[in-house]
Amino acid sequence: MSTEQLLLSLKSFTKTSEISIRQASSTRELEELRHQIFGKQSALTDAAKVLKNADTEIRKIIGQELNKHKRMLEDLFSQTLREIRDQEFHTSLLNDQPDISLSPQIPSLGAIHPTTETIQRISSIFAHMGFQLFDGPEVEKSIINFDALNIPPFHPARSMQDTFYLNENTVLRTHTSNTQIRTMREKKPPLKILSPGRVFRSDSDATHAPMFHQIEGLVIDKRISFSHLIWTLKTFLSLFFNNSALRFRIRPSYFPFTQPSAEVDIAFEDGSFLEVLGCGMVHRSVLQETGIDPHLYQGFAFGLGVERLTMLKANITDLRPFFDANQNWISSFNQL
Ligand code: PHE
């Protein structure tokens, strides 16, 4: 093909392409044109192929023409595409009348986990009583988890809490009491602290899990007595269960780090009692161990299981769903 012929066919191709683009009335039609005009088999591509083997002079002339035509067609194509898209969008809006009889599709929202909710609720009650929140490590030295709490290595109380040992001296904390020790060592009394967190015990059935949550409270000040402890727990329990006439009883018990120690049970309408927490006056060896003079200061401590209290409040008997991460269960719980 001569240069003139090539130029002529390029011109006529551009003309017909231009007309087809202008006549197109849908994006689908335009997409087809895109292949015909710019695709591998189009006259534009053919011309470019011929150019490869042509003389430098011819290549220059035709190359420039080719680019000019191509750019013109590309501009026209993208402008037309934009216009037709807009038109189609408007028509679809007009035709697409919403069907208001359809039930709305509500996106499924997450819900706060009951354990978190209980921790927040309890923390807020104690915050109003002036308690400060503290956090401690979950991997703990056994000296802090046990020894500092008056549980030496030979002590039978170590077997009360089935422990996960990471090595001879390191455990997964079996209770949040480690935070009490750490805070007592770091800060001077008076102290009024609350420490929520995860604890671990090698135990698993419908009412025991190897990981669960505890909240522990500690008050150290001058002239703190057992009656302060009773008042604090009574106030807390009636606020938590939303029942100012809540009946409860305090039973003597044993914990190595408190003396005297007690357990608190709450009463149900049928007259039965259920244990909700452990407590007591901080043992003088624990005070001494953390550098607090037991002649000057006394204190009380209490510890409760978060899942246990949640189960009581919501009347749930199985502990396992707490750890299943089942969105339906979590949401249904929130509707209680
Ligand atoms: N740390 C005890 C436990 O986990 C609970 C407790 C805390 C008891 C403070 C008395 C005082 O079993």
Side-chain angles (χ1 to χ4, degrees), residues 149 160-161 174-178 180 199 201 212 214-218 254-258 260-263 275 277-282 300-304:
L149 284 152
M160 275 164 69
Q161 306 183 348
T174 55
H175 47 189
T176 39
S177 312
N178 66 330
Q180 323 291 34
V199 301
R201 292 184 195 179
F212 58 102
Q214 270 194 346
I215 294 191
E216 214 155 299
L218 171 80
Y254 172 75
F255 298 103
F257 30 86
T258 44
S261 302
E263 268 164 315
E275 178 204 324
L277 56 83
C279 60
M281 301 304 293
V282 180
F300 66 76
F302 55 87
L304 53 88

Side-chain angles (χ1 to χ4, degrees), residues 42-318:
S42 82
L44 283 180
T45 321
D46 277 351
K49 273 186 212 150
V50 173
L51 267 188
K52 266 194 197 156
N53 307 318
D55 293 348
T56 328
E57 201 49 35
I58 298 178
R59 211 186 311 172
K60 203 173 155 196
I61 303 171
I62 305 201
Q64 275 173 359
E65 275 303 298
L66 182 66
N67 281 339
K68 201 173 81 190
H69 287 265
K70 198 171 167 203
R71 215 171 304 130
M72 196 281 277
L73 285 176
E74 279 171 351
D75 288 349
L76 178 69
F77 183 87
S78 47
Q79 192 198 335
T80 317
L81 183 63
R82 229 176 295 132
E83 285 167 8
I84 294 188
R85 263 205 197 128
D86 278 358
Q87 264 172 25
E88 285 184 354
F89 179 64
H90 283 291
T91 338
S92 77
L93 278 189
L94 286 178
N95 293 341
D96 248 14
Q97 292 295 345
D99 180 353
I100 54 167
S101 66
L102 279 177
S103 52
Q105 291 187 347
I106 299 169
S108 78
L109 295 176
I112 295 183
H113 193 283
T115 307
T116 311
E117 204 174 287
T118 305
I119 292 178
Q120 286 174 350
R121 207 178 137 82
I122 297 178
S123 305
S124 139
I125 295 176
F126 281 104
H128 279 92
M129 293 197 236
F131 282 69
Q132 262 185 305
L133 240 66
F134 282 92
D135 207 2
E138 289 166 10
V139 173
E140 185 57 283
K141 295 179 194 133
S142 54
I143 302 189
I144 295 188
N145 191 82
F146 290 127
D147 301 59
L149 284 152
N150 201 28
I151 318 176
F154 55 83
H155 200 288
R158 288 215 181 193
S159 58
M160 275 164 69
Q161 306 183 348
D162 299 306
T163 312
F164 288 111
Y165 278 87
L166 298 184
N167 62 38
E168 223 181 303
N169 310 314
T170 321
V171 299
L172 290 181
R173 67 172 172 191
T174 55
H175 47 189
T176 39
S177 312
N178 66 330
T179 311
Q180 323 291 34
I181 296 296
R182 286 176 174 273
T183 323
M184 281 196 274
R185 279 184 181 173
E186 261 171 43
K187 305 210 177 300
K188 299 234 165 314
L191 292 173
K192 235 174 161 184
I193 69 172
L194 198 72
S195 50
R198 268 192 288 214
V199 301
F200 307 84
R201 292 184 195 179
S202 170
D203 205 354
S204 182
D205 59 35
T207 53
H208 294 90
M211 187 283 287
F212 58 102
H213 295 77
Q214 270 194 346
I215 294 191
E216 214 155 299
L218 171 80
V219 172
I220 308 272
D221 206 343
K222 290 176 179 154
R223 288 193 289 277
I224 289 291
S225 72
F226 205 83
S227 44
H228 291 117
L229 169 61
I230 297 176
W231 180 87
T232 308
L233 293 179
K234 185 175 163 50
T235 309
F236 158 66
L237 288 171
S238 18
L239 283 170
F240 181 77
F241 287 103
N242 222 347
N243 176 2
S244 52
L246 186 84
R247 286 198 312 124
F248 70 103
R249 72 180 180 196
I250 298 179
R251 241 176 334 103
S253 182
Y254 172 75
F255 298 103
F257 30 86
T258 44
Q259 168 83 315
S261 302
E263 268 164 315
V264 176
D265 304 335
I266 56 169
F268 289 91
E269 275 164 18
D270 65 2
S272 64
F273 282 93
L274 213 121
E275 178 204 324
V276 288
L277 56 83
C279 60
M281 301 304 293
V282 180
H283 199 291
R284 57 184 291 125
S285 339
V286 176
L287 292 175
Q288 263 160 349
E289 150 63 46
T290 53
I292 296 174
D293 181 354
H295 297 292
L296 270 179
Y297 290 101
Q298 302 78 41
F300 66 76
F302 55 87
L304 53 88
V306 175
E307 284 84 1
R308 193 187 173 87
L309 270 196
T310 313
M311 285 165 80
L312 270 177
K313 191 165 164 63
N315 221 350
I316 306 172
T317 46
D318 194 348

